[in-house]
Structure formats: C-alpha cells, structure tokens
Amino acid sequence: MVSNTQPDTGRHELLDVHDPATGDVIGQVPVHTEADVNAAVDRARVAAATWAALDPNVRRDHLLAFRRELINRVDELCDLIHRENGKPRYDAIQELFLAASHLTFAATRAPKVMKTRTVSSGILVNIKSTVSHVPLGVVGVIGPWNYPVFTPMGSIGYALAAGNAVVFKPSELTPLTGQALADAFAAAVPIADVFQVVTGDGRTGGALSGAAVDKLAFTGSAATGRRVMEAAARNLTPVVMELGGKDPLIVAADADVDAAADAAVFGALTNAGQACVSVERAYVVDSVYDRFLDKVVDGASTVRMGSDDDAQIGAITRPQQVEKIRDQLEDAVSKGAKVLVGGPDAIEGSWVPPTVVVDVDTSMKLMQEETFGPVLPVIKVGDAEEAIERANNDGFNLGSAVFGSAGIRQMADRIRAGMTAINSVMTFSTISALPFGGVGESGFGRIHGDEGIKEFTLTKSTAEQRFALPGMGAAFAPDNKAAYKQMKGMLGQLFGGGVVDKAESIVRRVRR
Ligand code: NAD
C-alpha cells in the first residue's frame, strides 16, 4: 500500500526528513517511482467508483469521522508539524483548527452544492433543463511544506467531499505529516484507497502530474507550477494552480494606524513569513507613515524567535530559502535600502530574525520576487491612489489588505488580487465559505467555498424533452423555405423589437 508509514527499505530510494531547527534527521520516507504513482492512481480509480456511488450524506459522515480522528491525534500531529516544519506548536494547532473548519465546510456543503438544479429552458417549454455536479474521478494533489495540513486540506477535503478519490504528494520537506493524514483517514474511513499518499521529491510530483488523473491541484511555486502544467498538458489534465504572492498592505490616511501596524507585523512575520498570503509590501500614506513605522519597528523587535512553546516564529523550513532571503536583503542594502530591524547580518543558520526595511524600490529583488521570509518592506506613498497603483503594478498579488475608513470598500475592489482583507490581514483564508485563489502569476482556479467544491466536479448539463413541440427540436425541417420564414418571424418577435422583445423591456424597466 502506498500510504504506508514505514519506509520500504528493500525497494525504494529513501529520503531523509530533517528538523529545520536542528538539522537532525527525524525520519525517512520512500521516493515513490512513476510505477508506484501509476499503481496508486489505478487503485484510486477503483476506490473512486465506490466513493462516488455513496449517498452524499454518507460521504459527509465519513469525512466528519476523518475530522474527529485528526482531532483525536492533535498532540501527535502538532509535534510532528513542529519537528518537520519548524513552526511553534501553537501555530501547528491553529493550522489544524483551520483544516478542521475547512473539512467540516466541504463535507457538509457538498451534498447541497452538488444537488441537481433546474434552470430555465427559454422558449423550449417542452424541455426540462438541469445542471448537475458529478465527481471527476481521481484528483492528484501536490502540496507545499509551509502549512502541511491546512494548505493541502483546501484541495484534499474539497476533492473528497465532491466524491473523488485523492492521491496526495506532500512536499519532500513534510512527508511525515502527509503520511499522518493518510493514517488518520485509514483509521476513520473503512474504504481502501480513497485517500492515498505517495512520498518523494520533484520526481514523484512529476510522475503524478503526468499520471492518468482527472484533475491536478498544485500548490507551490510558479516555477514548479509551470512544470506541472507542461506535464499535465500531455493528457489535457485540468489543473488548479495555487501559487505564491508578493502581497501588498495599504494604509490610508484615515486608518487606525496602530491596528494597521500590529496587523502588518503579524501578517509579515507569522509562520516566519512563510505564508503564500504573507504581507510582503506595506504602502503607507505620507501623513501616517512615521507613526506606522515606529509601531512596526517596536512590534517586530519584540517578536520571539525559537523552537520552544513560547516562541512566536520558528526556523526557516527550507535551507535554500535562507539563502534566497539573505540574497534579496543584501541586494536591497547594496542598492540603498535601510534595515531598521533584523537584516542579512543577523541571519544565523536556519534562523532569520524579524526584519523591517525602508527606502526600497522596484530595482531590488526584494520588491520583485516573493521573499517567503519574515521581512517587511515599508514604502511611503503620497496618497491612497498611488498606493493602489503601486500595489497593482509593482508586484503580483494573491491576497492583499487595506486599512482605512472612507471609501475603503471601493479601494479594496480596485486591487487586482484573489482576496482582499479590509482592516485585517489574511482573514479571508480562515473563512471556509470564501473562495481562495490567485490571478496572473499567483495562479488560477479556486479552492475553499462552494467554488472550491465545484472546482473538483464535472459540471454536467441535461436537457430532457418531456413532450414534442411541432417545428421545434432536433429534427430536419420538412420544408426549409417555410421553416426559414417561420424562424425569421420568431427572431423579430423575440430579439428584433417585436412584441416579446418590447414586453420584456417593459418588465425590465418596471423591475429596475
Ligand atoms: P515548490 O514549488 O518547490 O514545491 C511544491 C511541490 O511541488 C512539492 O511537493 C514538490 O515536491 C513538488 N514538485 C517539485 N518539482 C516538481 C515537478 N517537476 N513536478 C511536480 N511536482 C514537483 O514549492 P514549495 O517551496 O513547497 O512551496 C512554497 C511556494 O508555495 C511559495 O511560492 C508559496 O507562496 C506557495 N504556496 C501557495 C499557496 C496557495 O494556496 N496559493 C499556499 C502555500 C504555499
């Protein structure tokens, strides 16, 4: 079985799993091969038929049992996430809370969202038109390491709730957490192979991208996303791309500046900045800039880094990421940026301290690329208009945040991002009913919300003729010339200013 928790030492290459805080090896997992992945997909296809045939309410109950099993194992899971990812155990439990909320939403909403609905058939009154959402079959999920439970659950939970079997490839940095999810599922749901985990690195992910799955949900970097799309294109496999962001936060002149500064510090530093919707740029209107910056510097200076239970942020999970953060900061400093807290010289091993930088511009890598570290560049702008313009044009947005009062909703609407938080940060990802996803470089497709359930379904239209209408329907006309004349008359009446067209205009005016 692929979702085993023990490495198959006889057959597979093994991958070491490290604790990022110490560098110690804490486990090993097999690198599953293309043949393993294909075999898992084949088993999933069989399981998918059983899973899809269940009453949606029975599927819901199985998924709620899975949720309860996760919560039964909460301490074990939090310890594992802490050791594998480096985040404090309190962050790990928050992640589990969010994952459980999403699983509940997906499980309980799916039976309603997938219910067949009747739609208007227009003038074809003899036809009953319905739209159904049916399971796709097998969904491949490829996940990142930064939120090893919450992030993939946004795809796994929704795909399962929509009646699909899932083959999940967790990140090579957090495969033990992935296996723990499969173990909890197996303990709670007595149907084999509905949810399997394959472990390994990019090779295993590549095999899943090219496998005979019905949809791929990828969460990770844009560079890998492009490779996944290339492999998926060979089979025309549809994909959801959940990628990164260089998310802006805007502070208008009439904002609650203290609240905005607290939120900016949290949004930039939580999970050591390793969130796809981290605040990566703060644009602050001139009149409140100094107050905001003072408060941000105070706040960032007091954030505790460590691996004990009182720490607020942990070590950077991926060793190469430390070098990327250092490089971005050194590049910025060499081009004139000023470090107010932390900075490149304060980085030690896998520990990157909270960092606040000013005097930045778009020539710097820090302002062009996702940082994915605990770094907040703060930029002074003349007014909210300039802030919106720069938020939209200087980087790429997955999420975003705006702080202010007058016209704040309109301001939020003008930010080109999948999500915007008003007078808070990141809250959109905690609300299960809100769809989540990107635009442009930050990806496409939606997880979470009703849209996240529909994303993993085939939208199927059915037109059921209940009785025949003479002259209407799928048959050749006995006399084309007469039928042409009849159709022309009908076109005029319906769409060309005739009686029906006029009547509809009146009704629209009255209803307006
Ligand atoms: P990554 O792109 O390095 O890896 C993601 C996954 O892809 C891993 O499981 C990896 O093994 C796999 N992979 C690597 N090469 C592959 C290949 N050739 N084919 C198929 N799969 C392959 O990303 P990461 O470092 O794990 O995650 C960080 C990135 O993820 C950041 O950019 C972050 O913003 C983004 N992210 C996005 C969201 C979101 O919901 N939009 C959530 C979390 C993280």
Side-chain angles (χ1 to χ4, degrees):
M1 185 176 167
V2 175
S3 61
N4 60 350
T5 52
Q6 296 304 313
D8 181 352
T9 45
R11 230 164 35 88
H12 288 99
E13 184 185 326
L14 295 178
L15 193 75
D16 287 343
V17 185
H18 297 270
D19 178 337
T22 59
D24 293 346
V25 174
I26 56 168
Q28 286 186 317
V29 293
V31 177
H32 285 121
T33 62
E34 188 176 344
D36 295 324
V37 170
N38 290 337
V41 171
D42 287 348
R43 284 194 299 276
R45 174 111 11 238
V46 175
T50 311
W51 186 245
L54 292 177
D55 181 291
N57 292 324
V58 173
R59 270 204 305 268
R60 174 200 60 205
D61 293 344
H62 281 312
L63 291 174
L64 295 179
F66 172 37
R67 179 197 68 185
R68 283 184 207 104
E69 191 56 40
L70 289 173
I71 304 309
N72 287 342
R73 299 169 182 222
V74 67
D75 287 331
E76 189 188 316
L77 277 166
C78 288
D79 284 343
L80 186 56
I81 297 169
H82 168 62
R83 280 192 301 139
E84 216 178 21
N85 164 286
K87 68 175 70 180
R89 278 158 34 95
Y90 175 59
D91 276 10
I93 203 165
Q94 289 187 72
E95 175 172 348
L96 278 172
F97 185 93
L98 293 178
S101 306
H102 277 288
L103 190 50
T104 308
F105 176 87
T108 54
R109 278 296 293 169
K112 298 179 191 90
V113 170
M114 292 176 74
K115 222 178 204 146
T116 298
R117 68 179 203 279
T118 303
V119 295
S120 162
S121 299
I123 58 163
L124 296 177
V125 291
N126 59 330
I127 291 187
K128 182 181 179 189
S129 297
T130 54
V131 181
S132 348
H133 292 278
V134 296
L136 289 167
V138 180
V139 172
V141 175
I142 300 175
W145 43 264
N146 57 335
Y147 289 89
V149 176
F150 166 51
T151 296
M153 193 59 81
S155 299
I156 295 166
Y158 287 74
L160 288 171
N164 305 286
V166 169
V167 178
F168 172 41
K169 208 296 277 174
S171 165
E172 53 272 51
L173 297 173
T174 53
L176 301 175
T177 306
Q179 287 181 332
L181 293 183
D183 289 345
F185 189 88
V189 183
I191 309 172
D193 303 325
V194 173
F195 174 43
Q196 299 173 76
V197 169
V198 288
T199 52
D201 50 23
R203 290 169 290 174
T204 313
L208 186 54
S209 309
V213 294
D214 300 289
K215 189 147 198 170
L216 274 166
F218 172 79
T219 308
S221 61
T224 311
R226 285 191 173 86
R227 284 197 283 277
V228 169
M229 284 183 74
E230 276 169 26
R234 288 198 284 275
N235 295 328
L236 285 180
T237 306
V239 294
V240 181
M241 286 281 136
E242 293 290 343
L243 310 177
K246 186 88 202 150
D247 291 2
L249 173 145
I250 293 176
V251 185
D254 58 0
D256 177 339
V257 177
D258 289 350
D262 286 345
V265 168
F266 177 77
L269 304 184
T270 185
N271 208 34
Q274 303 167 112
C276 52
V277 288
S278 288
V279 173
E280 294 232 348
R281 312 175 269 155
Y283 295 100
V284 187
V285 167
D286 201 352
S287 57
V288 293
Y289 176 82
D290 290 340
R291 232 175 82 210
F292 176 85
L293 190 58
D294 286 348
K295 180 94 178 151
V296 160
V297 166
D298 280 355
S301 309
T302 58
V303 170
R304 260 205 82 230
M305 189 169 65
S307 75
D308 57 280
D309 276 350
D310 293 326
Q312 290 165 308
I313 66 171
I316 295 297
T317 312
R318 195 165 163 259
Q320 303 91 310
Q321 198 64 29
V322 178
E323 291 322 307
K324 195 172 167 201
I325 299 166
R326 192 200 308 276
D327 177 54
Q328 284 189 12
L329 287 172
E330 285 177 349
D331 172 69
V333 169
S334 74
K335 289 174 178 158
K338 208 161 107 198
V339 172
L340 301 183
V341 183
D345 299 338
I347 297 173
E348 275 179 39
S350 55
W351 299 94
V352 178
T355 295
V356 178
V357 190
V358 291
D359 297 344
V360 291
D361 63 51
T362 50
S363 72
M364 301 168 183
K365 290 182 202 170
L366 181 65
M367 295 301 289
Q368 295 164 359
E369 302 165 4
E370 187 183 32
T371 304
F372 227 54
V375 179
L376 179 61
V378 183
I379 304 117
K380 190 192 286 186
V381 289
D383 54 22
E385 211 42 50
E386 184 189 345
I388 294 171
E389 202 269 322
R390 292 183 66 176
N392 282 339
N393 297 319
D394 288 359
F396 55 105
N397 310 330
L398 175 58
S400 51
V402 288
F403 283 79
S405 307
I408 195 71
R409 172 67 208 221
Q410 286 76 4
M411 213 193 267
D413 289 346
R414 288 175 58 203
I415 298 187
R416 190 170 155 77
M419 292 79 56
T420 301
I422 299 177
N423 293 327
S424 72
V425 287
M426 298 170 150
T427 30
F428 40 74
S429 45
T430 68
I431 297 166
S432 305
L434 284 178
F436 185 98
V439 53
E441 278 283 303
S442 61
F444 55 84
R446 289 295 178 267
I447 55 172
H448 303 176
D450 289 355
E451 285 79 355
I453 297 168
K454 289 182 192 159
E455 187 75 57
F456 296 106
T457 64
L458 164 68
T459 303
K460 180 151 184 221
S461 301
T462 307
E464 180 186 350
Q465 180 163 302
R466 291 173 300 181
F467 55 90
L469 269 185
M472 306 266 268
F476 287 113
D479 176 349
N480 261 7
K481 284 191 187 126
Y484 183 93
K485 221 169 135 192
Q486 191 189 6
M487 181 63 76
K488 193 174 164 189
M490 218 158 71
L491 267 176
Q493 293 304 333
L494 288 171
F495 308 121
V499 175
V500 180
D501 188 1
K502 282 194 180 118
E504 281 180 352
S505 300
I506 293 166
V507 171
R508 267 195 301 276
R509 265 203 299 276
V510 172
R511 284 198 180 146
R512 199 170 15 218

